[in-house]
Amino acid sequence: MKNSNLNSAINEVELKLALPSTQVDALFNHATVVGAAPLKQHLVNTYFDTPAGDLARSQIAVRLRQVDNHVLQTVKTAGHGGGGLSSRQEWEWALNHRQLDATALAELPPFQGELARAIEQLTPTLNTDFTRHSWQLTWQGSHIELVLDEGEIISGGAHASICEVELELKAGEPEALWSLALALTESVPLRPSDSSKAARGNALAANQWTLPDASTPAQWLHRATLALDAYHDSGQNTHLVAAQQALNTLATHPQLDDTLRPIAQQLPNALTANGQPKTGYGHAALTLAHRLSTQTPLR
């Protein structure tokens, strides 16, 4: 997305889903994309922050992206939502060089006030390098971009793989994102993901994955989703245990009604021993997230 007016943010609405790398062919063979040639691009991204991590604490991402021969600068604010769905503000503009445009940053709302002092301290902190396949779809009268990203996050000496599907609403109703995601999960073993690439890189650099407290069903689902994200990036079994505990708590939560409880009860047994989703996991998790109308902050 390109935004030539730096005083006006685009509201990005997307649904993020993690995909086991062994199941990429299942996506390419899904009826929604089979026979349609995707646009293929190589994306190299550099994220910036202060040495003290001021942007990470404010849940703001500043990124330079090179797409083939073009360079874009992007600023994203914290997302809101859950179960993979997020809504966030985004500013993006083209540059003619691969160097941070500090002057334009200073014009943006996130950098008014205290963060204005952070601009001169911004330095590269992490990189992502991945191949993107993208399809432009019309689904239930809405225009949705479906993308598959495959590559890696590099943060200091730490690495994590990227294999994720994003559904971004270009025009139409957010309801169409849920519907398309549910259609995909009928045959593709996807799971909701609530962690952005920037948040994943920051956690890798710090070697620290903090899970939020939870009390409501929506919050327990969000905690389980983040714990699975953390497990697959860290390899630490404690996060897989935390995910299972959150799913078990969710399945027995007293606030669930008789229609939602059977759906929640499917989740603990719909993960493999190594935390990968079986086909039924994504469909149940997305159905539950949608029905709960999750409104927890994303990272």
Side-chain angles (χ1 to χ4, degrees), residues 149-162:
D149 291 341
E150 296 178 273
E152 65 176 346
I153 300 170
I154 307 101
S155 188
H159 296 247
S161 64
I162 296 170

Side-chain angles (χ1 to χ4, degrees), residues 28-105:
F28 276 94
N29 291 326
H30 195 273
T32 55
V33 300
V34 71
L39 173 65
K40 183 177 180 180
Q41 298 171 300
H42 181 212
L43 283 69
V44 180
N45 307 276
T46 302
Y47 290 81
F48 294 78
D49 204 343
T50 67
D54 293 286
L55 299 194
R57 277 195 302 276
S58 300
Q59 299 185 64
I60 293 172
V62 172
R63 179 187 73 199
L64 285 184
R65 164 169 288 177
Q66 183 166 339
V67 185
D68 300 325
N69 296 321
H70 304 284
V71 178
L72 299 171
Q73 183 163 314
T74 308
V75 176
K76 293 189 179 188
T77 63
H80 297 278
L85 183 71
S86 68
S87 175
R88 69 187 76 235
Q89 288 187 307
E90 175 183 297
W91 294 262
E92 186 169 90
W93 62 99
L95 300 177
N96 56 16
H97 50 74
R98 193 171 172 81
Q99 184 176 351
L100 200 65
D101 182 354
T103 301
L105 282 181

Side-chain angles (χ1 to χ4, degrees), residues 15-28 128-133 135 146-153 159-166 188-197 200 228-229 232-233 276-277:
L15 207 158
K16 184 188 294 289
L17 303 161
L19 174 68
S21 59
T22 57
Q23 298 295 325
V24 168
D25 286 347
L27 177 67
F28 276 94
T128 61
D129 190 326
F130 55 89
T131 299
R132 167 168 289 180
H133 292 85
W135 295 262
L146 186 158
V147 307
L148 168 66
D149 291 341
E150 296 178 273
E152 65 176 346
I153 300 170
H159 296 247
S161 64
I162 296 170
C163 191
E164 63 185 26
V165 172
E166 292 180 0
V188 184
L190 296 157
R191 65 172 178 85
S193 174
D194 284 344
S195 299
S196 68
K197 294 180 181 73
R200 293 174 61 192
L228 286 173
D229 291 341
H232 287 291
D233 281 352
Q276 294 290 7

